[in-house]
Amino acid sequence: MKKIKTALISVSDKKKLKNLLKILTKHKIELISSGGTYKQIKKLKFKCLEVSEYTNFPEILSGRVKTLHPKIHAGILSKRKNRSHNRDLKNNNFEEIDLVIVNFYPFEKTLEETNNHLKIIENIDVGGPTMVRAAAKNYNDVTVITSPDQYSELINEIENNKGSTSIQFRERMSLEAFSETAYYDAVISS
């Protein structure tokens, strides 16, 4: 079992967030978010730290760079039982991120709505798939969720395990996450 202490949430589809946030808050899980997700979490009256405040680095390039930061990715990718990784985190004043909840910009929907090449390009998600791949790679220590359809499973897992997730759950979510990124990239490539 891995106890979840910190969750990073960055979702395009903001439906179904309220029940999930209730459970995360109940288990005293710190929330980090950016952009529209941060605004939605605050609107729902939950405590949350904005990514730029967490990293001490502003969003740049008109929002193209928000979560692409060493503090985010080191927190996701660090092996919890690796002394060197723990030392690197400590030396850089970084923290572990135990749960990554991301769903991507709606690229397919954008294709249906416009043939404006510039709008299409701007709807290619970079930070989301990067975080998902990092979390999926490190499923031994990190839980990754890529769809609101997985929220109820996550809620059950957290409730049944007193704020923790099992390796079986994390591995299954990792497999689904890699399938999601592969599909997303295939749509873009096509």
Side-chain angles (χ1 to χ4, degrees):
M1 292 293 165
K2 286 286 179 184
K3 181 82 171 142
I4 298 172
K5 296 176 193 147
T6 304
L8 194 150
I9 307 171
S10 179
V11 294
S12 177
D13 183 345
K14 293 166 185 57
K15 295 186 300 271
K16 300 185 184 180
L17 267 180
K18 191 170 188 173
N19 288 338
L20 177 62
L21 295 170
K22 282 182 188 176
I23 296 304
L24 298 177
T25 301
K26 174 184 170 185
H27 289 278
K28 297 178 176 33
I29 296 168
E30 179 185 9
L31 306 178
I32 304 166
S33 190
S34 66
T37 306
Y38 171 78
K39 289 176 186 155
Q40 181 65 22
I41 291 170
K42 296 303 280 182
K43 184 179 175 183
L44 292 169
K45 308 233 185 290
F46 289 92
K47 189 177 173 188
C48 185
L49 190 62
E50 195 164 16
V51 164
S52 58
E53 190 177 338
Y54 178 77
T55 60
N56 201 26
F57 196 87
E59 288 185 16
I60 60 172
L61 306 181
S62 305
R64 279 185 159 198
V65 177
K66 296 184 267 260
T67 58
L68 297 168
H69 190 280
K71 188 169 186 176
I72 299 291
H73 291 280
I76 296 170
L77 284 164
S78 66
K79 293 180 183 178
R80 303 330 194 233
K81 292 182 180 175
N82 183 306
R83 284 184 181 169
S84 172
H85 287 201
N86 291 329
R87 190 170 40 251
D88 285 344
L89 289 182
K90 186 176 180 183
N91 289 343
N92 288 286
N93 197 27
F94 291 174
E95 299 170 27
E96 296 169 346
I97 296 172
D98 312 297
L99 171 61
V100 173
I101 302 172
V102 171
N103 51 68
F104 308 147
Y105 298 164
F107 187 75
E108 284 180 293
K109 185 178 176 193
T110 300
L111 291 176
E112 292 168 8
E113 294 175 353
T114 186
N115 61 3
N116 180 311
H117 188 72
L118 295 177
K119 283 185 182 176
I120 291 169
I121 293 295
E122 287 309 311
N123 277 279
I124 296 174
D125 197 332
V126 176
T130 303
M131 288 188 295
V132 165
R133 289 177 62 83
K137 174 180 179 170
N138 201 24
Y139 72 86
N140 193 58
D141 294 308
V142 179
T143 305
V144 61
I145 301 295
T146 56
S147 168
D149 296 336
Q150 298 168 332
Y151 292 175
S152 60
E153 283 184 86
L154 175 63
I155 289 168
N156 289 339
E157 183 77 5
I158 289 172
E159 287 284 81
N160 293 337
N161 297 301
K162 299 178 179 79
S164 298
T165 58
S166 67
I167 185 67
Q168 295 84 3
F169 180 78
R170 291 191 306 277
E171 184 174 18
R172 188 164 52 81
M173 292 298 104
S174 170
L175 292 171
E176 290 184 28
F178 279 123
S179 293
E180 181 71 22
T181 57
Y183 175 77
Y184 191 74
D185 286 339
V187 171
I188 293 168
S189 177
S190 294

